[in-house]
Amino acid sequence: MKIERINSIDIVRGVVMIIMALDHTRDLIHVSSITHQPTDLASTTSAIFLTRWITHLCAPTFVFLSGVSAYISFNNKNNLAQSRRHLLLRGIFLIVLDLTLINFGVWFDIHFSVILFDVLSAIGFGFIVLSFFLKSSTKTIGIIGLSIIFFHNLISLIPFAEDSTFKKILMPFFAPGAFSLGPNTTFVMGYPPIPWVGIMLTGFAAGLFFTLESAKRKAIFLKIGIFSLLLFMLLRFLNVYGDPSPWHSQNNILFTFFSFINVTKYPPSLQFCLVTLGIMFLLLYFVDGAKNRLTDISTVFGKVPMFYFIIHWFIIHPIMFAVVFLQGYKSQDL
């Protein structure tokens, strides 16, 4: 059965794309963005913490819905070879685009002194991996995706020797790192791809829900969203497994709450996935069938995520230069 375009996907994707610009604007313009981590409870403020935390929703939602979109495309094409070729080419294109145009948009450095493997590269890598799983059943792909989400945190608990092959070659696929490519070039693995592949494969499997009528899929999304958030709260309260940064009591209730929700994005821990994707499922539940001015605006952004993602860097970064020069700095100060 061919799946028509589903507005709730565009709406939710549009919402997270708009929120994303908040984080990147803070990265480039906020005075302490380089010297202080916005989620460091020892130095942050409530407003700065929340402007960072809410943007945690962006990457997992974007990756998950990329998997959903891949399922819808595969379902509608009903052609294994064509879909596999499309995913392979799309994946390669996204990685090349990320390491070139997007990297320039992030750094504005013609020398490419830092090459950042960022979210688009992770999505591209996920598409390539997914292309090899298309022969498998949706259930199998879903089980693999969920297994990665739930168990990839165990990798860090295995005591690999520093000179082991896994530590040198395979660990960057699971955890962030920086690697010298020469005297003037550093490669930064910002989005280690395997945990994000888990989110994409799970999203692909969840695409099956979008073949259902609105009322049925909304009921499923509500149950998954509530279950995910409850499981997050249980695991977080136990402070045993699911995130490398346990929460601690702070000087006041608000910052204790911040510590509780201050989960790890790099790489996306199990608890990070549960809270962010749980909220995403609730958003899908609430906006399915909604039609108003806000949903219309979100839909516009959600239908052109690639264009928006590229262009927003080339808007924010020149604004940053304008702010710097208005403060009295000169080009040589850069």
Side-chain angles (χ1 to χ4, degrees):
M1 180 183 71
K2 187 173 182 178
I3 305 173
E4 300 298 329
R5 192 172 190 102
I6 298 173
N7 284 341
S8 59
I9 294 176
D10 290 330
I11 294 170
V12 172
R13 185 161 49 203
V15 168
V16 297
M17 294 299 287
I18 294 169
I19 294 173
M20 175 193 67
L22 175 66
D23 189 44
H24 294 161
T25 302
R26 181 193 53 77
D27 278 335
L28 291 176
I29 296 177
H30 190 254
V31 65
S32 64
S33 63
I34 301 300
T35 56
H36 295 95
Q37 286 292 331
T39 54
D40 182 356
L41 299 181
S43 60
T44 192
T45 65
S46 300
I48 294 299
F49 178 90
L50 291 173
T51 58
R52 173 54 177 154
W53 192 91
I54 194 172
T55 61
H56 281 345
L57 300 176
C58 302
T61 298
F62 199 37
V63 174
F64 186 93
L65 293 181
S66 294
V68 171
S69 296
Y71 176 88
I72 293 174
S73 175
F74 177 58
N75 177 83
N76 291 347
K77 283 186 173 69
N78 197 27
N79 185 313
L80 176 62
Q82 185 180 1
S83 295
R84 175 171 288 169
R85 182 175 181 273
H86 173 75
L87 285 173
L88 277 170
L89 292 178
R90 182 73 168 172
I92 294 170
F93 169 75
L94 288 177
I95 293 174
V96 172
L97 180 69
D98 192 34
L99 299 182
T100 54
L101 183 62
I102 301 302
N103 262 250
F104 180 75
V106 172
W107 305 111
F108 268 36
D109 177 13
I110 61 173
H111 303 291
F112 285 84
S113 303
V114 176
I115 299 175
L116 177 63
F117 190 99
D118 209 33
V119 63
L120 282 192
S121 291
I123 293 173
F125 187 92
F127 280 155
I128 293 171
V129 172
L130 179 57
S131 70
F132 293 103
F133 280 105
L134 287 183
K135 273 190 176 181
S136 304
S137 68
T138 303
K139 181 179 179 181
T140 298
I141 293 174
I143 290 173
I144 294 172
L146 287 172
S147 297
I148 294 173
I149 290 174
F150 273 80
F151 301 118
H152 78 85
N153 284 124
L154 293 173
I155 295 295
S156 62
L157 302 179
I158 303 175
F160 296 105
E162 286 299 322
D163 59 348
S164 67
T165 300
F166 182 88
K167 194 76 172 181
K168 290 181 178 179
I169 300 176
L170 297 181
M171 197 60 185
F173 288 91
F174 292 88
F179 310 91
S180 175
L181 299 181
N184 301 310
T185 305
T186 301
F187 177 82
V188 177
M189 180 61 79
Y191 276 70
I194 296 301
W196 296 101
V197 166
I199 296 175
M200 176 172 285
L201 296 182
T202 305
F204 181 88
L208 185 64
F209 298 142
F210 289 90
T211 63
L212 305 174
E213 63 181 27
S214 176
K216 289 184 178 179
R217 68 171 176 259
K218 285 186 68 173
I220 292 173
F221 292 160
L222 180 61
K223 291 176 183 177
I224 295 176
I226 293 174
F227 175 78
S228 297
L229 293 179
L230 289 175
L231 183 57
F232 159 72
M233 287 188 284
L234 175 62
L235 291 176
R236 194 65 176 157
F237 178 77
L238 293 175
N239 248 356
V240 174
Y241 176 74
D243 197 278
S245 300
W247 67 279
H248 302 281
S249 296
Q250 303 294 314
N251 293 331
N252 57 60
I253 294 176
L254 180 61
F255 269 63
T256 297
F257 172 70
F258 286 167
S259 179
F260 189 85
I261 64 173
N262 192 16
V263 285
T264 303
K265 180 181 179 181
Y266 305 107
S269 68
L270 168 59
Q271 293 178 18
F272 175 91
C273 293
L274 287 173
V275 67
T276 56
L277 294 178
I279 293 172
M280 179 207 67
F281 275 110
L282 293 184
L283 286 175
L284 287 169
Y285 166 78
F286 284 114
V287 304
D288 199 336
K291 177 68 175 176
N292 53 56
R293 179 61 176 163
L294 292 177
T295 60
D296 289 344
I297 293 173
S298 298
T299 299
V300 171
F301 290 99
K303 285 183 176 180
V304 290
M306 179 65 69
F307 174 77
Y308 176 85
F309 187 81
I310 294 173
I311 204 69
H312 93 287
W313 285 112
F314 291 89
I315 293 175
I316 299 171
H317 218 132
I319 291 174
M320 182 206 76
F321 285 119
V323 171
V324 168
F325 293 140
L326 286 171
Q327 289 177 323
Y329 293 97
K330 307 298 181 183
S331 58
Q332 59 265 29
D333 295 321
L334 300 180

